Amino acid sequence: MKLIGSYTSPFVRKISVLLLEKGITFEFVNEQPYNAENGVAQYNPLGKVPALLTDDGECWFDSPIIAEYIELLGIAPAMVPREPKAALTVRQIEALADGIMDAALASVREQARPAAQQSETELLRQREKINRSLDRCEQLLEDGSVKTDTLNLATIAIACAVGYLNFRHVSPGWCVERPLLVKLAETLFQRESFARTEPPKA
Ligand SMILES: N[C@@H](CCC(=O)N[C@@H](CS)C(=O)NCC(=O)O)C(=O)O
């Protein structure tokens, strides 16, 4: 199995963590989707990472689909509950965390533009998405829908999202007044799967 991805992508990190936690062996194919010369499109016409190439030659893309494919392999530990409604809830939280990653990525891309071309309105719009979604995560932790000591697709995705905020210094005050989210992140960051997928420092 080959995982096509970059070491800085939070979506790729989510998939790497799932594979590592399940003990699934994979080869990491390092591709930089924003570089002019990259091979991502041969795996995903959208030119985005991650993509997963199976030993049977199937190619899966978009991280929620890859996560679902991995779950279909039936390898413990299960990262999504069996009960359909509970599974849907976990996937919705994954979508929420993925949305934080999307908004953070959009902010990083906006800030990479020449200063004169950057839109404050757009940056604010993305910041609001992030804040609202982090508030929702904290609320889910408060009401017990998500637990800080549970390892599943929802908590992994949330931890990857806040890990990316830390890495790119997006919404640097995210942890203020969100103590349960901090606890969840700290708990998951201690796991070997997260330590091994930490984005490169420089
Ligand atoms: N919905 C996609 C998002 C993946 C994504 O946006 N990946 C970024 C890297 S973090 C990418 O490859 N961007 C390249 C591009 O947009 O051209 C998923 O969940 O896999």
Side-chain angles (χ1 to χ4, degrees):
M1 194 175 285
K2 289 183 182 175
L3 176 61
I4 293 82
S6 71
Y7 293 110
T8 56
S9 165
F11 302 97
V12 173
R13 189 180 195 188
K14 179 179 69 177
I15 299 304
S16 298
V17 167
L18 286 175
L19 292 169
L20 289 168
E21 290 288 349
K22 286 176 181 281
I24 300 173
T25 310
F26 64 101
E27 181 189 334
F28 194 93
V29 179
N30 189 13
E31 287 281 0
Q32 308 297 319
Y34 293 105
N35 284 1
E37 300 289 318
N38 75 74
V40 178
Q42 64 184 294
Y43 305 103
N44 175 359
L46 297 169
K48 295 186 181 193
V49 292
L52 189 79
L53 192 61
T54 70
D55 295 341
D56 298 335
E58 296 165 323
C59 195
W60 301 101
F61 55 83
D62 221 77
S63 63
I65 300 293
I66 300 174
E68 195 157 349
Y69 169 78
I70 293 170
E71 213 49 30
L72 286 178
L73 297 175
I75 298 169
M79 294 296 181
V80 178
R82 269 178 187 276
E83 199 277 308
K85 192 79 180 285
L88 200 58
T89 301
V90 163
R91 292 195 198 288
Q92 172 148 286
I93 299 167
E94 178 196 20
L96 183 68
D98 284 1
I100 296 173
M101 300 178 200
D102 279 327
L105 195 63
S107 303
V108 171
R109 301 286 298 164
E110 187 66 27
Q111 284 172 320
R113 287 153 59 88
Q117 290 172 26
Q118 288 178 29
S119 162
E120 266 311 313
T121 314
E122 183 58 18
L123 284 169
L124 179 63
R125 221 170 66 83
Q126 299 302 336
R127 205 158 46 235
E128 285 174 349
K129 285 178 197 284
I130 293 170
N131 281 334
R132 284 194 305 263
S133 305
L134 290 172
D135 284 343
R136 174 65 68 87
C137 291
E138 185 70 16
Q139 191 191 323
L140 291 168
L141 284 157
E142 271 171 19
D143 71 19
S145 311
V146 178
K147 296 197 168 42
T148 54
D149 56 357
T150 297
L151 184 76
N152 65 16
L153 182 57
T155 55
I156 289 171
I158 293 173
C160 289
V162 297
Y164 188 70
L165 296 181
N166 289 346
F167 170 60
R168 292 296 193 201
H169 309 291
V170 175
S171 301
W174 71 264
C175 42
V176 178
E177 292 182 9
R178 295 190 184 104
L180 295 173
L181 206 42
V182 171
K183 187 162 179 230
L184 181 148
E186 283 175 354
T187 306
L188 267 70
F189 290 168
Q190 283 171 18
R191 300 186 70 85
E192 194 189 339
S193 58
F194 274 86
R196 284 178 58 183
T197 56
E198 212 178 311
K201 288 281 180 277

